[in-house]
Amino acid sequence: MTDPDIAAEMEEDSFDDLDSDEELQAAFSRGDLKPGLNIEARAKRVYINDEQGLKDRLTDFKKDLAWLERLDVTCGPARVPGETDPKPDEENKDEVHDDFKRELRIYRQAQAAVLDALPKLQALNIPTKRPEDFFAEMAKSDDHMRKIREKLIAKQLSMERSEKAKKLRELRKFGKKVQQEVLVKRQKEKKDLAESVKKFKKGHSKDLGFLEGKPKGGANSKQDKAAAKLGPNMKRKAKNTKFGYGGKHKGSKVNSKQSARDDEDHFSIKRNRSDVAKHQKQFGGKQRKGNTKQKRLGKGKRQKLKSRKK
Amino acid sequence: MFRRSVVKSSTHVKMGKRKIAQKIVESKKKRKRNDPIHKTQQNAEKAAKAGPVARWTNKERTLIFASRGVSYRGRHLMNDLRTLMPHSRADSKMDRKDNFFLINEVCEMRNCNKCLFFEARKKMDLYLWAANIPHGPSAKFLVENIHTMAEMKLTGNCLKGSRPLLSFDPQFDESPHFGVLKELFIQIFSTPYLHPKSQPFNDNVYTFTILDNRIWFRNYQIVEEDGSLAEIGPRLVLNLIKIFSGSFRGPTLYENPNYVSPNQHRTLIKKQASLKYQNRVEARMGQMERKETDTYKMDTLDEVFHTIKPEDAKGAEKMTFFRK
């Protein structure tokens, strides 16, 4: 605890002692004391602001250096052309808590400083622009900058992707609407057909053109196409390819002429036979003697021969 | 070059001895002209003709270091400042927490006349002392909202050690305490002209903006001369606590009336959080008290003469309403 605090407490104590019953009674009769909990008011804290001292200190330690050593610029934010001057109080309130506005305000201040200082530097013959062939160590390493670039690109990509997904979702919504319209249209056509049949039966009309199913107008044909194009969704399609959908499944795993032909790449009878022969030659297995050249005929031909013999 | 000339002379078989000697002398002269030492001598002569040579005269040095227990974020910030300021010096973390007067001696040992000292408290609060070393003044700030240069969203980059422009808000000239701070910042952050570790080009700006009674620090890269910028970082917000007359000592010259210490802030938040529950419980109790059990005052005897016809009676009513 600092000294002034202690002093204040001592003062309070002495004050308490002075509050005798008589005094309190007197105060009550005057109407200064109200019934209820009376709390001693605390003295308001005084904040030091020694303006003269500050000014003296500033003159003491200020260095008279050339501007070239200091490079300081004092200026407000650069004005955007075409913007009216907003009221300062009103502006300040949002600025602090709105990140974008605040950063923009600071950015514009920096911009104003740059626009102010660069001509001054050029007047002093100080290069402000780095030549293309001047290489030196940077504040951030190349590795770090690469990471930043990658992150930026990734962010951009994800944004694009999300936008695409959004569009697709909207399209799908639209597709549903189209489908509903198609259903309504079909019902209407059915109704029309029934009506025209009725009319024909009663002899109101002798035209049988409606039976040929001519579409009355080509207006809806485009929408129909769109609906047809949409078809089942991607997930359903993938599942269909995996588990099968529609058509005949029976016997789909049984070998056929076609499947054998498809398999030829992997297995050929000819090659197999030659392999077997080679094997036998090498390891001295049983070898056919005599008319080894004569080939066995195909099954169909053999059966024909059999029937002829009979 | 010498060797080449010899080879050349050997190819010219017809050349006489005198001619060869002449060639060698010429080549030596040429070499001397291209010699780097000779060149610098020439440049110096030129400069002497042009006028006095600019020199590094402003020997400002800033010691940047922290106390023990600084968080990783504070440490990164400190390192960022060290990379950005070529006239800075580093020192090991300060162990003592009570006697900051020692910092003056540390700075003296390191030949520094300015100091940025990061003081960490409770492993979460970071304070920054900015001081002019032997005689002051010094200022103490609470550092808020730190973003270091390593963050990914800051896309700018600048040369390591290029001299920054310092941009100040016009409010710095309006009150004396801000005036002192401005001079202090200029002396601490401006890199001396022709500092050996600095670069000859100006490609970044530090901005000091006063918003919401705080000083907001930003560092931008100058991308184009027309004023397009890209932020490099670090970002920080300085909330002034006090300005002292001496360096890390002396009487207080200014005290920020708007400053709320992080401890107070935390207790306030906790209190509000606890009040939320208390209020809810009180509200519930009050509602229960206020809620009336009887919505309408009825006379219990009113129903004595209320009868219905025996035909209309249903269920248990048949027991009471029946015809004899």
Side-chain angles (χ1 to χ4, degrees):
Chain A
M1 199 176 272
T2 54
D3 291 355
D5 282 338
I6 292 164
E9 209 171 58
M10 279 170 69
E11 259 180 32
E12 277 168 21
D13 283 345
S14 56
F15 195 66
D16 278 347
D17 290 341
L18 286 173
D19 279 354
S20 62
D21 286 349
E22 287 155 28
E23 273 188 359
L24 285 174
Q25 279 168 3
F28 185 71
S29 62
R30 257 183 280 131
D32 288 349
L33 279 181
K34 298 252 161 62
L37 201 59
N38 286 302
I39 300 167
E40 217 172 316
R42 269 199 174 181
K44 232 185 180 180
R45 200 182 153 190
V46 180
Y47 292 94
I48 302 165
N49 187 5
D50 183 2
E51 293 203 356
Q52 194 51 48
L54 283 165
K55 277 174 193 164
D56 291 346
R57 211 78 200 78
L58 181 59
T59 47
D60 281 351
F61 89 106
K62 193 163 192 169
K63 281 188 178 175
D64 286 325
L65 291 169
W67 181 78
L68 189 54
E69 291 283 357
R70 299 156 65 93
L71 295 181
D72 64 313
V73 183
T74 307
C75 55
R79 280 249 197 98
V80 173
E83 194 187 319
T84 52
D85 235 7
K87 285 173 192 170
D89 286 349
E90 205 177 294
E91 190 187 29
N92 255 355
K93 258 183 201 169
D94 316 331
E95 245 179 23
V96 176
H97 300 294
D98 186 336
D99 280 8
F100 183 74
K101 271 186 186 169
R102 187 213 315 132
E103 293 308 318
L104 194 69
R105 152 98 178 63
I106 300 173
Y107 180 91
R108 277 207 260 143
Q109 187 196 318
Q111 219 170 13
V114 168
L115 293 176
D116 200 28
L118 286 187
K120 270 193 203 175
L121 282 171
Q122 278 153 4
L124 288 166
N125 280 331
I126 306 293
T128 51
K129 211 164 188 186
R130 181 162 63 118
E132 290 290 311
D133 56 348
F134 183 89
F135 294 108
E137 196 182 348
M138 304 294 277
K140 290 179 188 173
S141 64
D142 287 348
D143 202 36
H144 183 79
M145 290 311 284
R146 186 178 50 77
K147 266 189 203 166
I148 290 174
R149 224 167 292 133
E150 271 169 16
K151 175 131 195 199
L152 274 181
I153 290 168
K155 201 175 172 189
Q156 212 173 352
L157 272 179
S158 73
M159 289 238 294
E160 272 173 20
R161 216 173 294 146
S162 76
E163 216 146 273
K164 227 182 227 173
K166 225 182 253 173
K167 251 185 206 170
L168 226 119
R169 237 174 281 144
E170 250 165 50
L171 254 174
R172 199 172 290 162
K173 226 184 242 174
F174 181 70
K176 257 184 194 170
K177 222 186 236 172
V178 167
Q179 228 161 5
Q180 277 174 345
E181 272 172 19
V182 166
L183 279 180
V184 169
K185 197 189 139 202
R186 258 186 222 154
Q187 266 175 343
K188 202 191 160 202
E189 268 176 14
K190 210 174 170 185
K191 207 175 154 192
D192 283 351
L193 186 73
E195 254 176 37
S196 41
V197 167
K198 225 184 224 173
K199 267 183 191 172
F200 183 76
K201 270 185 184 170
K202 283 184 179 174
H204 287 302
S205 72
K206 289 177 180 175
D207 189 19
L208 267 171
F210 61 86
L211 285 177
E212 284 163 23
K214 276 182 198 165
K216 274 179 185 173
N220 284 336
S221 58
K222 255 190 189 173
Q223 287 179 354
D224 286 350
K225 264 184 194 170
K229 242 186 197 175
L230 277 168
N233 59 15
M234 293 306 287
K235 196 177 169 189
R236 189 64 254 167
K237 269 182 195 167
K239 280 195 170 177
N240 286 350
T241 51
K242 191 174 178 186
F243 304 115
Y245 173 73
K248 190 185 166 194
H249 293 295
K250 199 180 173 188
S252 62
K253 288 183 178 176
V254 175
N255 286 336
S256 67
K257 206 175 182 182
Q258 188 62 37
S259 73
R261 206 175 288 157
D262 288 345
D263 258 2
E264 254 171 21
D265 298 342
H266 311 294
F267 176 78
S268 81
I269 302 163
K270 228 188 227 170
R271 198 176 58 214
N272 191 35
R273 272 187 187 153
S274 68
D275 280 356
V276 168
K278 255 187 208 169
H279 191 264
Q280 282 172 345
K281 239 186 199 174
Q282 269 185 358
F283 301 103
K286 247 191 191 174
Q287 265 187 342
R288 265 185 213 164
K289 284 168 189 173
N291 51 352
T292 47
K293 272 180 190 174
Q294 200 181 4
K295 275 181 185 171
R296 193 186 187 204
L297 295 167
K299 194 178 185 182
K301 282 190 178 174
R302 286 201 315 270
Q303 275 172 345
K304 263 185 193 172
L305 283 173
K306 252 188 191 173
S307 63
R308 266 186 213 161
K309 276 176 190 174
K310 277 176 188 175
Chain B
M1 193 169 267
F2 179 72
R3 197 185 287 161
R4 200 170 41 162
S5 67
V6 170
V7 170
K8 249 188 186 173
S9 61
S10 66
T11 52
H12 292 272
V13 185
K14 282 177 187 174
M15 215 183 259
K17 265 186 189 170
R18 197 187 293 162
K19 270 190 179 174
I20 290 170
Q22 242 177 6
K23 271 245 158 158
I24 289 169
V25 168
E26 262 177 31
S27 71
K28 268 186 183 171
K29 267 185 189 169
K30 233 185 212 170
R31 200 171 58 178
K32 204 176 177 186
R33 241 177 278 141
N34 288 336
D35 207 15
I37 297 166
H38 188 72
K39 250 191 181 171
T40 49
Q41 276 174 358
Q42 274 182 337
N43 282 352
E45 279 164 25
K46 259 186 205 170
K49 274 175 199 168
V53 186
R55 266 187 180 172
W56 170 41
T57 50
N58 182 14
K59 302 285 167 83
E60 205 85 66
R61 287 185 204 92
T62 307
L63 188 71
I64 302 178
F65 70 126
S67 73
R68 261 188 64 185
V70 69
S71 67
Y72 73 95
R73 203 176 269 272
R75 197 179 67 246
H76 281 235
L77 174 67
M78 184 180 69
N79 286 332
D80 286 349
L81 288 180
R82 278 178 188 163
T83 51
L84 286 173
M85 291 158 66
H87 60 294
S88 70
R89 290 205 168 165
D91 203 350
S92 51
K93 285 177 195 157
M94 169 113 158
D95 205 3
R96 297 285 294 270
K97 289 205 169 164
D98 47 346
N99 197 356
F100 286 150
F101 184 60
L102 279 177
I103 293 172
N104 289 324
E105 284 168 34
V106 174
C107 288
E108 211 169 294
M109 280 197 295
R110 305 284 292 153
N111 280 329
C112 293
N113 50 3
K114 296 286 173 300
C115 182
L116 284 177
F117 176 63
F118 289 94
E119 183 193 348
R121 292 245 185 105
K122 290 190 158 191
K123 307 239 171 202
M124 51 171 124
D125 304 324
L126 190 69
Y127 298 90
L128 175 68
W129 287 83
N132 177 33
I133 276 306
H135 307 300
S138 56
K140 191 186 180 185
F141 304 93
L142 174 71
V143 188
E144 298 167 335
N145 282 353
I146 302 170
H147 295 268
T148 61
M149 216 154 66
E151 272 181 36
M152 290 291 156
K153 65 178 172 184
L154 306 172
T155 53
N157 199 359
C158 66
L159 288 170
K160 191 178 178 181
S162 61
R163 302 183 60 224
L165 298 171
L166 304 178
S167 162
F168 287 94
D169 197 282
Q171 282 183 62
F172 272 100
D173 293 338
E174 281 167 15
S175 44
H177 64 279
F178 279 135
V180 169
L181 289 183
K182 182 184 168 187
E183 183 61 27
L184 203 59
F185 286 148
I186 288 172
Q187 291 189 15
I188 288 173
F189 286 103
S190 69
T191 304
Y193 181 50
L194 293 177
H195 189 281
K197 280 187 198 165
S198 70
Q199 300 289 354
F201 309 104
N202 299 70
D203 62 353
N204 60 335
V205 204
Y206 296 168
T207 52
F208 296 90
T209 312
I210 297 172
L211 285 173
D212 195 25
N213 297 311
R214 289 165 173 83
I215 299 166
W216 300 66
F217 174 90
R218 297 283 184 273
N219 178 19
Y220 293 100
Q221 176 197 359
I222 304 171
V223 181
E224 289 292 329
E225 305 253 310
D226 63 351
S228 67
L229 310 170
E231 191 167 354
I232 303 167
R235 281 180 177 185
L236 59 139
V237 179
L238 299 172
N239 193 356
L240 179 66
I241 303 169
K242 274 182 183 179
I243 297 175
F244 299 98
S245 178
S247 62
F248 297 97
R249 58 174 171 170
T252 308
L253 290 177
Y254 179 79
E255 212 172 342
N256 186 5
N258 298 309
Y259 171 71
V260 179
S261 83
N263 279 339
Q264 275 175 322
H265 185 65
R266 280 190 287 264
T267 44
L268 198 78
I269 287 171
K270 257 187 208 167
K271 213 179 245 177
Q272 275 173 349
S274 72
L275 275 181
K276 194 179 163 192
Y277 174 71
Q278 214 172 316
N279 285 341
R280 212 168 54 212
V281 170
E282 270 174 14
R284 201 191 298 146
M285 299 294 277
Q287 197 192 17
M288 267 158 68
E289 257 175 42
R290 269 179 280 134
K291 208 173 182 182
E292 287 174 8
T293 44
D294 299 328
T295 48
Y296 187 73
K297 272 182 187 169
M298 304 248 288
D299 193 348
T300 44
L301 297 176
D302 273 356
E303 286 182 1
V304 171
F305 298 107
H306 178 72
T307 53
I308 51 172
K309 282 180 189 171
E311 290 85 41
D312 297 338
K314 277 173 195 168
E317 288 170 342
K318 281 178 188 170
M319 305 290 284
T320 41
F321 304 107
F322 57 87
R323 206 156 281 174
K324 279 184 184 172

